[in-house]
Amino acid sequence: MNVNLKSLVQVLHADWIGTDGPVLIEQISIDSRSLQNGPQTLFFALSGVNNDAHTYISELIEKGVRNFVVEYIPEKYHGKANFLLVQSALDALQKFAAHHRNLFNFPVVGLTGSNGKTIVKEWLNFLLSPDYNIIRSPKSYNSQVGVPLSVVAINEKHNLGIFEAGISTVNEMEKLEQIIKPTIGILTNIGTAHDEGFLNLVQKIDEKLLLFKDCPVIIYQKNEIVDSCLSQFAAEYMLHPRKLFSWSYTDPTADVFILKREIKDEVTLIQYQFKKENHDLEIPFSDSASVENAVSCLLTLLYLEYDAETIQNRMQGLYPVEMRLEVKNGIHNCSIIDDSYSSDFQSLKIALDFLESQKKNASKTVILSDIFQSGFSNEELYFKVAQLIADNKVNRVIGIGSTISSFKNKFSNCLTYQNTAGFINDFENLNFANETILIKGARSFQFEEIVFLLEEKTHETILEINLNSISHNLNFFKSKLANNVKIMVMVKAFGYGNGGLEIAKLLEHHKVDYLGVAFADEGISLKNGGIKLPIMVLNPESTSFASIIQYQLEPEIYSLKGLNAFLKIAREKNLKDFPIHIKLDTGMHRLGFEENTIDELIETLKGNSTVRIQSILSHMATSDDMKHYDFAMSQIRLFEKLSSKLMNELSVNPIRHILNTSGISNFPGAQYNMVRLGIGLYGVSNDASEQKYLENVGTLKSIISQVRTIPAGDSVGYGRRFMAVKETKIATIPIGYADGISRLWGNGVGYIRIKNQKASIVGSVCMDMLMVDVSGIDCKEGDSVIIFGESPTVTEIADALKTIPYEILTSISQRVKRVFFR
């Protein structure tokens, strides 16, 4: 991309406020945190319910960014940069992408639907890449922001585009249609995703079809509802001769009729009829969703006039699509970002930003294969890649492949190998330790072998943490806050069992204001991990005060004894204005200064310059139970009274905070200057109406170790607590109470899910394993199982065990490996 900035004034309907000289734009950005921002970046300052990028313009200018699309110019920055002033930065971004798309004239595949968009896109890229230079959406960039970011990556060397479009409500698709302008439309499976944004299924289908209003062909699976919607749609939008290219399992009038399906050894054999001829096709999957997605690909190849032999040969090579970046613990205190099945320029930029946001170690290494289908010449491509690597301050590059090896001199501190085998042979000499490693390679390089070498070896039970869901839940609660209310997020107890440092990294990336931990060692661990956010220690012990000071943590002070002890050590270290947090007891009666101690507290602090009251806080006992509304309000009134007295008599104006997760929702009038978000971040609410807006964060998974069939009368497990009344198939799972599974969840009370079916736990939960009844479930050793997640939820388990979700989450042993993904 090389665009004259002033030429965009008319495109964006913008007012120009800047210098008269020509400015060349090479890339656009919406993320102030990206290390790729620079003098040739055009930054779109998007504003929304949860964030306003205009607040980051000052720091972007300090980093060298000089060109902005803004809705207003922050005070004091007139004349310090070039500004394109618009009514809506998002609308301007979409206009820019639509303008860029119109510069190119080649086939573009547009995909929409509820399920399968990303998989069909990736498979089409694989199937068509021998014949086309393809530009496609990176990952699942299909939103009002993701689509324009995908499309602006088109360059002159591309001759086919594949872009997906996702919507969550009405009046969104027409904007995406203007940006994508598909010439081949694919409607994938229509399911229940985002149903809440539409009146009914028909409205949702009608809205999705707007992507295809100027499209010459629409590929879809026939069914009564879709056919009815398409009939009306075709009558309304007759701007082009349109072909409806359909397929069906049951309707022989479809253009492609699936005559038969047969599953054999995890492979699906189908026979299809097209233009009155029958053809056989082997699809290397047995599940129905994958077969549907593969048939969408089949119709695309048929529309593009590929012959049956070529189709068969290529579709046999289809593979499972990994749609997420995973963070894993590695050997020798390394952390690994696994993106081992993708190597293209656009997704490399995304992965490098993710590397920066999730790095546990300051030292960064990138293991990178040859990059395909960039649209650039190799000389230009590897110049750009080397620049990206340098901008992201990567310490070491390991290139694998003949092409990247020939451009080794463009990188600093670069080691290359012709193939993956060469790297593996030299692995022992590479000395991986105390670094964050991004592993990014095209599928043909089999980088999963490298991941296996570098990954810390643990047992097969894992807790998967969805970082996207954490971001979603954070933004949900931020949307409830008044302007300028700060947010502290609790990451105590190992991030409520989910993993402390990794989540803290993400929260720092989202620019939360404070982190909260229970004890000093938790805060020290985060500081040693590179966290720079202020960290409040809620339960500091006097023996930890020296460490708190050393690591620049901030203690909660809740008693005169503790205050005097901290003041003593603070004076010994000649501290000045060290931040402390004063805890008031307003009725919880756990920790805090009671009303009768406030005068002595004031007397102790008056005239003291050693410490500074950073905040005053209290804790509500019943914010989650509106039956105790009056008591909760009495706490808030007492907090107002005592905190105001402290502020007035000490002439201070600290942050005040009393609300926890439930309080944010139930007592919005008491937000003060800050709130504390805890369990809600992890996707748990005790309000059913609120729960549906939160996303599940943690999914505890394991595998089947062994399957056996026992006769009636035999027992399972310790104490013979389960006796089979009939022949029963039993599966053993390698997870037990040492991993955090309560014994009370055993013997018919609880269940797990195998292939989305309930499998009741039978017998006692053992220390390291449990047994389930899998009679009627088609499963085998090695199959994955869900212990908790979407179902059963931690709330469901907690209700059955008469406890709270906190206990379920925090009980998961640290011997269970955490895998973080986005």
Side-chain angles (χ1 to χ4, degrees), residues 4-10 16 19-21 23 84:
N4 186 305
L5 181 61
K6 273 199 167 181
S7 71
L8 298 178
V9 172
Q10 189 172 357
W16 169 263
T19 61
D20 291 330
V23 178
L84 291 170

Side-chain angles (χ1 to χ4, degrees), residues 112-374:
T112 191
S114 302
N115 307 301
K117 297 184 295 292
T118 302
I119 292 170
V120 173
K121 177 198 69 185
E122 293 299 319
W123 283 353
L124 284 177
N125 177 68
F126 166 76
L127 294 165
L128 298 172
S129 59
D131 310 307
Y132 294 93
N133 195 354
I134 299 172
I135 174 73
R136 71 192 193 278
S137 312
K139 301 298 178 185
S140 53
Y141 269 40
N142 60 28
S143 67
Q144 298 292 303
V145 173
V147 168
L149 291 178
S150 302
V151 167
V152 297
I154 299 174
N155 66 44
E156 292 76 8
K157 301 291 178 62
H158 295 124
N159 57 13
L160 178 71
I162 310 174
F163 300 107
E164 51 178 300
I167 56 171
S168 57
T169 189
V170 296
N171 302 321
E172 291 185 342
M173 188 60 88
E174 284 188 294
K175 298 175 183 178
L176 302 186
E177 188 275 335
Q178 290 295 314
I179 300 168
I180 297 174
K181 287 289 182 187
T183 59
I184 300 172
I186 301 176
L187 183 66
T188 64
N189 177 274
I190 298 292
T192 58
H194 300 297
D195 271 0
E196 65 277 5
F198 303 93
L199 294 175
N200 49 48
L201 181 61
V202 170
Q203 187 188 53
K204 180 162 73 170
I205 295 171
D206 287 343
E207 182 74 13
K208 289 181 180 292
L209 289 177
L210 291 175
L211 179 62
F212 310 132
K213 71 175 187 176
D214 289 335
C215 191
V217 62
I218 302 174
I219 293 168
Y220 75 105
Q221 181 182 8
K222 282 180 75 67
N223 71 56
E224 186 176 343
I225 297 177
V226 173
D227 280 337
S228 174
C229 292
L230 274 168
S231 178
Q232 184 174 343
F233 177 78
E236 186 172 353
Y237 294 99
M238 292 304 293
L239 303 176
H240 289 276
R242 177 173 293 102
K243 179 173 178 58
L244 299 179
F245 193 31
S246 62
W247 69 274
S248 177
Y249 292 126
T250 58
D251 187 344
T253 66
D255 297 287
V256 176
F257 180 49
I258 310 299
L259 295 165
K260 64 179 182 180
R261 281 180 293 167
E262 179 184 352
I263 298 174
K264 189 175 182 181
D265 298 327
E266 301 297 320
V267 169
T268 301
L269 306 173
I270 72 170
Q271 186 178 80
Y272 66 93
Q273 186 178 80
F274 177 57
K275 293 183 176 178
K276 299 183 179 180
E277 292 185 6
N278 294 351
H279 304 278
D280 294 321
L281 180 64
E282 181 179 301
I283 299 171
F285 298 94
S286 59
D287 64 289
S288 59
S290 294
V291 174
E292 277 191 29
N293 293 331
V295 174
S296 292
C297 294
L298 165 66
L299 265 72
T300 309
L301 295 178
L302 291 172
Y303 176 75
L304 293 171
E305 299 183 346
Y306 281 79
D307 61 81
E309 183 179 358
T310 302
I311 292 173
Q312 174 61 80
N313 289 338
R314 292 190 184 179
M315 291 193 69
Q316 282 180 327
L318 293 179
Y319 51 84
V321 174
E322 188 58 69
M323 294 186 290
R324 62 195 196 184
L325 291 158
E326 288 191 344
V327 183
K328 303 175 179 178
N329 290 328
I331 60 174
H332 310 314
N333 196 37
C334 290
S335 61
I336 300 166
I337 297 174
D338 180 3
D339 195 12
S340 56
Y341 294 112
S342 171
S343 182
D344 61 86
F345 186 67
Q346 281 301 104
S347 66
L348 174 62
K349 296 169 75 172
I350 296 168
L352 287 168
D353 278 340
F354 188 66
L355 169 64
E356 177 62 21
S357 71
Q358 283 297 311
K359 69 178 191 292
K360 285 189 191 177
N361 304 287
S363 180
K364 296 186 286 188
T365 293
V366 172
I367 301 175
L368 184 65
S369 79
D370 287 347
I371 294 175
F372 303 122
Q373 295 180 299
S374 68

Side-chain angles (χ1 to χ4, degrees), residues 379-396:
E379 181 74 28
E380 187 180 5
L381 169 64
Y382 287 99
F383 171 80
K384 288 179 175 290
V385 171
Q387 188 62 51
L388 269 182
I389 296 287
D391 289 345
N392 281 271
K393 299 179 175 58
V394 173
N395 304 86
R396 175 167 63 157

